[in-house]
Amino acid sequence: MGNCLAFEISCDQVLNHACGCLFGDQNYILMMEGNLEALENTMQELEAKRDDLLRRVVLEEDKGLQRLAQVQGWFSRVETVGSQVNDLLEARSAQTRRLCLCGYCSKNLISGCDYGKKLAKKLNEVQGLLSKGIFELVAAKGPAPKVEEKHIQTTVGLDTIVESTWNHLMSDGRRSLGLYGMGGVGKTTLLTRTNNKFLQLMSGFDIVIWVVVSKDLQNEVIQEQILVRLGLDKECKQKTEKERAAYIYNNLNRKKFVLLLDDLWSKVDLNKIGVPPPTQENGSKILLTTRSIEVCKDMEVDETMEVKCLSPDDAWDLFQKIVGDQTLLKSHQEITALARKVVEKCCGLPLALNVIGKAMTCKDTIQEWEHAIHVLNSSSLRFPGIEVNLFSVLKFSYDSLKDEKVKSCFLYCCLFPEDFQIEKEELIEYWICEGFIYGNGDEDVAANYYQGHDIIGTLLRAHLLMHGDFSNNVKMHDVIREIALWIASDFGKQKETLCVKTGVQLRHVPNDINWKVMRRMSLVSNKIVEISCRSFNCPNLSTLLLQKNKLVNISGEFFRFMPALVVLDLSENESLSCLPEEISNLGSLQYLNLSSTMIKWLPVGLKELTKLINLNLEYTNQLQSLVGISTILPNLQVLKLLCSRVCVDDRLIEELQLLNQLKISTVTVDDARILESIQEVKQLSSTIRGLCLNNMSAHVVRLNTVALGGLHRFIILDFKISEIKIDCCKSKESNAGISPMCTSSQGFKHLSIVQTFELEGPMDFTWLLFAQNLTYLSVRESLSIEEIINREKAISITNVHPDIVVPFGKLETLDVSLIAELKGICWNLPALRTTLKNFTTIDCPKLSLSY
């Protein structure tokens, strides 16, 4: 009886199940084919949204932000659902073959019902994920380090005053200290050394905040730097000055902080900024630098210290280190005596000693040294706010530049904000389009870049430019920038030809501009939202820099009368989605930068820009298509599409081959077959400087060091592979993933930057041995990675390629984060400390730094 009863219940269940499938509100079998099609389409939409969101996340992470947990959770759910959907779609053909009675029933009723039910449930889940994939913010600041180390050059004669500054600042009775002294005396260097000293001796402080105040004092700018350091900048983006002050006050009031204020020109009302006054109770400290003791008094500091010039002995020691023994001791015996006269003219100013020292490094005749002394003695020009001797030295160094084009390149650098990290490649492209650098024809594009790097090297050696925080950046000392601005305006006689208002919170294009004589305008790093419909007659304007604003709309009238404009930079205007058709009036335009904007379509009017040779569309995650680019802009020499939504396909390969003048490109690829095709087309592969592999799945990806020999930057996003193999030439593969017959390859000799996000499959990055000049490496969320360089594989490679030496010999920045299985970096990790400037590791629980 028991068995009979069980059988009856089972039959009832089967019957109810079948009836529910066939006659219920949801006929899963009847809806199967429709749901399959809907699931496939919805999943494609979900994957497209995931890719768009990932581009946004990568862009934010490039700025040092960390993705939000809710965003990462959404990515993980999409990954899981995607796998489940693939399983359902793989069973598609088997289930649909069983359908009968016009799709109302299945030959395997139970299996068909279950499959149909899972299908409907998964469709609802995918639709739900699609609707939830909308995020206003995708990343935010992670926990701020207590101290941010600052790069500093070798110093002479500062040890005593560094110790004195530290002791005075840390004294129990003092809350604030003001350092004052003339421009170029080394105040910022002293502040930098004090900042870095907190790395070893935090003394219980919660955070050290560095703020550059500069001449154009703006409370908003100061607040923004503090908010960025506190990780509150996104949260306070739309707040008023008073509201931001409240945020700063509430945060710092709970902390024991050190505030370092560099380059004050007038009193800063810290109450309006939101900085709580340091007291003995809270233990906080304020250290500031200024050129005027009066500013120290206005700031009511507890104590002031003058930063004095170097003593004659220290000045001579510094000068000797810069010029070198080859010139001073191994040339004519009288040069040493003349050199001491030059040092006297510098009056112990480190900036002057550095600049004049660099200028005299290769001067090995008496006549050259006599000439230098004569020029320094006879300079009649005066610059307000700069010591006469310092100005004469800097002017001499400028006059010593080898030709006019180098001088023009130097003066162009003053268009950027104070302390701005200027990207070398971008700077060179400006110079090329302005005509400072030129070759003998289209084939000289690469030579132009080499010439640009040579000029940058000249300016660095002359100490007129400084090395930036990374090897691909440079920056300019604030004193040198002031003088460059003055020289660029013909020593103040033609101030109206140059407008440089950077980082001063402008919300509109200034009204007090003489557009008829204006030649170059830089409004970088402001808050301009809209450029109105008013038109300006600008017959001489050649450069217009509007990057890093808040632009949403640009009136077509604005571009109507700019016939001489050759450089237009609109990059990092993250809400700019379209350009006016009137851009067609810019008949002389050669350089157009739209990177990191929301541009969806290129205006039809671009086809009128027959002189346009450089188009930057990197990180344009809304750009729909580049179909017809070879017809619209046939003269392009540089086209950049790194991390763009536009991926290279067969059609775009054909288009790019039609660009006969194309010499430099960056591309995004999402198909392994397309990557192979690109490497087989020498005309195209030889132009590639940047490569992004995005949302790609493949068993093996091959990178050919010959085809991609010009690669500078390599980015991997959302990547599923088993192995990356390096081909040095066309021959059979070896187990190490390299070509065994090619023993003299230099690998990717130009590759300096590698970034990976969400790489799945490989257990190591040993192939990076082929990137011997790598300076920046970031590996994030690569689930399978156990070590960056595997020693056994490395030995296998170096046996075949003896020219490849130890890994990461030039690495400056290393970021390994969110890698659960990572155990080690490489066997020579201690040796990296000689070159490594920045090392970040987050959530790598198995990582051993003694590896």
Side-chain angles (χ1 to χ4, degrees), residues 571-731:
S571 61
E572 295 191 60
N573 283 283
E574 296 177 359
S575 298
L576 184 65
S577 60
C578 64
L579 290 177
E581 290 296 334
E582 286 84 352
I583 198 171
S584 61
N585 291 300
L586 304 179
S588 298
L589 195 66
Q590 296 184 41
Y591 176 96
L592 178 59
N593 192 338
L594 298 172
S595 62
S596 299
T597 65
M598 298 292 281
I599 290 292
K600 295 179 181 179
W601 304 98
L602 297 179
V604 176
L606 278 189
K607 66 182 180 182
E608 303 298 328
L609 307 183
T610 57
K611 294 184 179 180
L612 191 68
I613 60 172
N614 191 315
L615 179 61
N616 190 335
L617 298 169
E618 293 186 339
Y619 295 97
T620 48
N621 56 25
Q622 296 297 313
L623 188 63
Q624 300 297 312
S625 173
L626 279 181
V627 173
I629 187 72
S630 60
T631 303
I632 297 171
L633 297 170
N635 298 319
L636 278 181
Q637 296 177 5
V638 180
L639 177 61
K640 298 185 178 182
L641 298 169
L642 192 74
C643 295
S644 166
R645 184 173 182 174
V646 174
C647 295
V648 178
D649 55 17
D650 290 317
R651 185 171 182 180
L652 190 53
I653 288 177
E654 293 177 7
E655 290 263 7
L656 295 176
Q657 290 183 79
L658 292 173
L659 289 170
N660 295 323
Q661 310 300 322
L662 189 66
K663 297 296 187 293
I664 292 175
S665 68
T666 65
V667 297
T668 301
V669 181
D670 61 2
D671 187 318
R673 181 186 63 81
I674 293 295
L675 180 61
E676 291 278 353
S677 298
I678 289 172
Q679 295 179 88
E680 291 169 1
V681 181
K682 183 179 179 181
Q683 178 189 346
L684 178 55
S685 65
S686 64
T687 70
I688 293 176
R689 299 294 179 269
L691 174 63
C692 173
L693 303 183
N694 181 30
N695 189 29
M696 185 186 291
S697 296
H699 179 63
V700 174
V701 166
R702 298 182 185 279
L703 301 175
N704 189 287
T705 62
V706 178
L708 299 174
L711 191 65
H712 286 64
R713 185 172 184 179
F714 184 39
I715 298 176
I716 297 174
L717 305 174
D718 192 18
F719 205 52
K720 294 180 182 177
I721 58 167
S722 298
E723 187 178 3
I724 294 176
K725 288 194 174 184
I726 305 300
D727 287 338
C728 300
C729 53
K730 294 182 179 179
S731 60

Side-chain angles (χ1 to χ4, degrees), residues 342-401:
V342 172
V343 171
E344 286 176 19
K345 294 300 298 180
C346 294
C347 299
L349 282 165
L351 179 60
L353 289 161
N354 272 290
V355 172
I356 195 69
K358 295 291 185 181
M360 301 305 295
T361 298
C362 298
K363 310 291 186 184
D364 54 7
T365 67
I366 296 175
Q367 291 80 7
E368 288 172 305
W369 285 85
E370 291 281 12
H371 171 68
I373 294 168
H374 172 73
V375 171
L376 294 175
N377 284 330
S378 60
S379 178
S380 59
L381 292 170
R382 297 291 182 267
F383 182 79
I386 302 291
E387 289 293 316
V388 173
N389 290 326
L390 176 57
F391 175 74
S392 63
V393 165
L394 297 179
K395 180 64 168 57
F396 172 79
S397 185
Y398 168 76
D399 291 335
S400 298
L401 294 174

Side-chain angles (χ1 to χ4, degrees), residues 499-502 504 506-515 518 521-523 526 528 530-532 534 536 544 546 549 558:
C499 176
V500 181
K501 297 187 177 183
T502 58
V504 293
L506 290 177
R507 285 175 166 77
H508 305 282
V509 175
N511 294 320
D512 57 341
I513 293 175
N514 186 345
W515 292 95
M518 181 63 59
M521 175 181 286
S522 175
L523 303 177
N526 283 293
I528 301 171
E530 182 177 16
I531 298 179
S532 64
R534 183 181 173 188
F536 303 97
L544 179 58
L546 289 166
N549 274 278
F558 181 68

